[in-house]
Amino acid sequence: PPCILQKFYLRYLLKTRINQAKVLLYTKKISVSQAAEMTGFCNVYHFSKMFKKETGKTPSEYIKMSNIN
C-alpha cells in the first residue's frame, strides 16, 4: 500500500538528512542553525528535536562530543 511506502520513504529521508547533518557538524564546524538549513529543515527547533530522536543527543551535545575526539 502507498501509505507504508510513504512511511518508509519519510523514515529514509529523515535518517539521510540527520546523517548529513552529523557530517556537516563534525567536519565543517558549522552552527546548528546552518546545519539545519543545509539539510532542509524549516527551523532549528524541529531539527534539534529530530536530531535527538535519531541520535540520542542534541546537536550541541554531538558537537561537544566531536570536539573531544
Side-chain angles (χ1 to χ4, degrees):
C3 188
I4 291 172
L5 290 176
Q6 184 179 17
K7 286 181 183 180
F8 282 124
Y9 174 74
L10 291 174
R11 182 84 179 122
Y12 169 78
L13 182 60
L14 177 63
K15 284 181 141 311
T16 301
R17 290 163 73 192
I18 295 297
N19 284 336
Q20 183 62 33
K22 286 167 64 177
V23 170
L24 291 169
L25 291 169
Y26 187 79
T27 61
K28 301 288 186 188
K29 306 298 182 197
I30 61 174
S31 71
V32 173
S33 60
Q34 288 173 310
E37 184 179 332
M38 292 172 75
T39 52
F41 286 86
C42 295
N43 62 60
V44 177
Y45 173 77
H46 182 66
F47 169 71
S48 296
K49 185 176 172 184
M50 294 295 103
F51 192 96
K52 183 165 184 166
K53 184 178 179 182
E54 287 297 311
T55 67
K57 295 177 177 52
T58 66
S60 298
E61 291 169 340
Y62 183 80
I63 291 169
K64 287 178 187 170
M65 181 193 74
S66 67
N67 286 337
I68 293 170
N69 296 332

